[in-house]
Amino acid sequence: MSGRRTRREPAAKDKPQRRRTLVVLLVVLVGLAVYSVRPLTYQYHFRQARRAFEAREYAAAVAALESAAAWRDSAEAHFWLARTYRHLNRPDRFTRHLQQAVQRGLAPELAEREQLLAVVQSGQIAMSDPRVAPLFVASDEDYFEVHDAMVRGAFETFDTELALRLIDSWQQGFPQDPEPYVLRGMYFVFVQQWSAAEAEFREALERGSDRRDARLGLAKALREQNRFAEALREYRQCLASEPDADVWFGIGECLKMQGSLEAARAAWERGLAADANHYDCLLALGELELLANRWPAALRLLEQAVALKPHEFNVRYALAKTLLFSGSDAAAADQFRLAADAQQAATRVAALSTYVAEHPDDLEKRFEIAEILLSHGQTQVGLSWLRGILHLDPNHAAARRRIAEITP
């Protein structure tokens, strides 16, 4: 008998037990790995979201925050989702995420502050309201949020004098911050002073080279000055970050003005692929089909566009011509009448707005603008003008009565 010792084979009944032990150990190890990776992955996505938010790329911020929340369903992630949706003017999602942040432990006073910022941003309370003053007692980070909300609220109620004073103060205190330059650029876009808008957006880009909104504003300002090659370069830079319908519309407009109609068509079609209800792309494609005598296609596009903005002269007029050329004389006559009415209203509102810009205290002219807008279906803009009147004169009876008639 040999003296060599042999390894004892495990009994058959031991094998299942050993297999179960290995499985349990593997599960534990995987769990520990996931547990250790989870906070790092959360922080990675959260940092990505904050960078996107600071660059005002809100769609990217939302995507990163949702990824972060998938790894840790925290009050912090939902708070920043709420704040981002506030900037996107999505009150439904803003409210939902703010409530979820409170449920997960957000301090009630922070939630109340964010809710107040949303109200200020929408222009629903005057800057003289006693609730507004405490907002100025803010951290350095919240300073920008407060001023942004106040400027946008002033613009929302067409109090441009206040908005520009706030922007001046912001620029003086933080001369390297691109945001006030973007906001002033938006003001010049509103009043159609395109060279001034161009200058402001360029200043913003010098202070924040990754500001897509500033580049998009610059592209529009260049396009409106008929500098189509320059505008195309700016639009194409925007494609790298977020190729949305606004960018494709601008590209199409530049290509059209350069005589490349088929390339313009392709750009507008890509715009509609990104947003099937993009008014400008629908109108542009509808007018292109009208030009090519393709009446059914033009009619489909223009009817969709007029449903989105029934008060706009351009789409009413294009629809009227399409109906006329396709043999629907009676329907065309109705659209020509509506187009003429829309043009008359737009001309009057433009004239009154120019007057009000020079005479901001003329409340009766402001009220006339509101009435014209309300009578032409532009309820939200009309309400903004009425709220602006109440900010200047809380006792204005006619404005208060009209708001009560419109809002539930």
Side-chain angles (χ1 to χ4, degrees):
M1 189 172 172
S2 173
R4 187 191 311 174
R5 298 176 63 185
T6 60
R7 182 171 60 86
R8 183 178 69 86
E9 292 295 326
K13 64 180 181 180
D14 292 337
K15 290 181 180 179
Q17 179 63 37
R18 180 171 294 183
R19 196 176 297 117
R20 284 194 295 272
T21 301
L22 288 172
V23 169
V24 170
L25 181 60
L26 182 62
V27 169
V28 169
L29 289 173
V30 169
L32 288 172
V34 171
Y35 182 80
S36 61
V37 167
R38 184 180 295 273
L40 295 176
T41 308
Y42 170 85
Q43 287 299 329
Y44 168 78
H45 288 300
F46 187 75
R47 284 194 298 270
Q48 293 289 102
R50 290 297 302 273
R51 279 195 288 270
F53 182 91
E54 287 165 9
R56 297 301 192 264
E57 294 187 2
Y58 296 124
V62 165
L65 286 166
E66 287 177 344
S67 296
W71 285 94
R72 193 173 81 200
D73 193 24
S74 66
E76 178 184 54
H78 284 287
F79 172 80
W80 280 96
L81 275 166
R83 176 164 280 187
T84 306
Y85 277 121
R86 173 167 63 79
H87 281 273
L88 285 168
N89 291 316
R90 294 294 303 273
D92 52 340
R93 296 192 178 186
F94 164 76
T95 301
R96 185 177 75 207
H97 283 289
L98 195 61
Q99 289 172 345
Q100 290 177 334
V102 171
Q103 291 166 4
R104 286 155 181 77
L106 180 72
E109 58 271 20
L110 291 179
E112 290 171 7
R113 182 182 181 82
E114 197 67 20
Q115 184 66 57
L116 182 56
L117 284 173
V119 175
V120 170
Q121 178 181 306
S122 66
Q124 294 184 52
I125 62 174
M127 297 303 154
S128 58
D129 190 293
R131 292 172 292 173
V132 172
L135 288 173
F136 283 102
V137 184
S139 65
D140 288 344
E141 180 181 277
D142 259 9
Y143 175 94
F144 305 107
E145 285 298 313
V146 170
H147 274 68
D148 184 86
M150 289 182 173
V151 171
R152 292 178 189 276
F155 279 144
E156 185 71 23
T157 54
F158 304 96
D159 192 348
T160 54
E161 186 178 19
L162 172 60
L164 293 174
R165 284 205 312 270
L166 289 165
I167 289 171
D168 285 340
S169 171
W170 193 341
Q171 285 179 327
Q172 290 165 11
F174 298 88
Q176 293 308 310
D177 186 1
E179 186 65 14
Y181 294 92
V182 173
L183 292 169
R184 195 187 295 276
M186 289 167 52
Y187 164 73
F188 285 127
V189 167
F190 175 72
V191 296
Q192 298 187 6
Q193 295 182 20
W194 301 112
S195 60
E198 176 192 348
E200 294 294 331
F201 290 128
R202 288 194 186 279
E203 291 284 353
L205 287 169
E206 285 183 10
R207 289 160 175 78
S209 59
D210 55 351
R211 283 297 295 266
R212 179 181 178 279
D213 55 349
R215 194 169 301 283
L216 194 56
L218 173 60
K220 180 178 175 63
L222 291 168
R223 193 185 87 220
E224 293 291 345
Q225 295 176 80
N226 300 325
R227 291 155 62 185
F228 302 114
E230 293 175 76
L232 264 177
R233 284 197 295 271
E234 300 299 335
Y235 278 124
R236 284 173 172 150
Q237 284 198 58
C238 293
L239 286 178
S241 58
E242 193 178 338
D244 64 12
D246 288 335
V247 176
W248 286 118
F249 169 73
I251 289 173
E253 281 291 291
C254 292
L255 291 169
K256 181 187 76 171
M257 298 307 296
Q258 291 178 328
S260 302
L261 292 184
E262 287 309 307
R265 175 193 295 278
W268 293 328
E269 287 174 346
R270 295 187 74 170
L272 288 184
D275 179 0
N277 288 314
H278 192 270
Y279 169 81
D280 290 323
C281 287
L282 287 167
L283 175 57
L285 277 171
E287 289 179 328
L288 203 59
E289 299 291 15
L290 173 61
L291 187 65
N293 299 332
R294 291 192 281 263
W295 318 125
L299 196 61
R300 175 180 56 81
L301 291 160
L302 294 170
E303 284 179 340
Q304 189 177 346
V306 85
L308 294 169
K309 293 191 177 181
H311 53 275
E312 291 289 337
F313 163 75
N314 289 341
V315 69
R316 288 284 183 190
Y317 187 65
L319 180 58
K321 288 191 293 183
T322 303
L323 290 165
L324 181 65
F325 296 151
S326 59
S328 301
D329 294 356
D334 286 341
Q335 291 300 323
F336 277 122
R337 178 181 53 79
L338 290 168
D341 187 43
Q343 185 178 40
Q344 184 180 12
T347 301
R348 180 60 178 161
V349 167
L352 287 169
S353 297
T354 300
Y355 176 85
V356 167
E358 298 171 357
H359 306 84
D361 295 331
D362 192 327
L363 302 187
E364 298 317 305
K365 291 292 190 293
R366 287 176 176 265
F367 188 79
E368 184 180 348
I369 292 172
E371 286 288 18
I372 293 171
L373 293 168
L374 292 170
S375 66
H376 285 79
Q378 299 186 61
T379 305
Q380 292 306 313
V381 185
L383 275 172
S384 293
W385 279 97
L386 292 173
R387 287 177 180 137
I389 292 170
L390 291 184
H391 290 184
L392 296 169
D393 178 9
N395 298 316
H396 195 283
R400 190 170 293 281
R401 183 175 60 254
R402 284 297 276 137
I403 290 174
E405 291 170 357
I406 298 162
T407 56

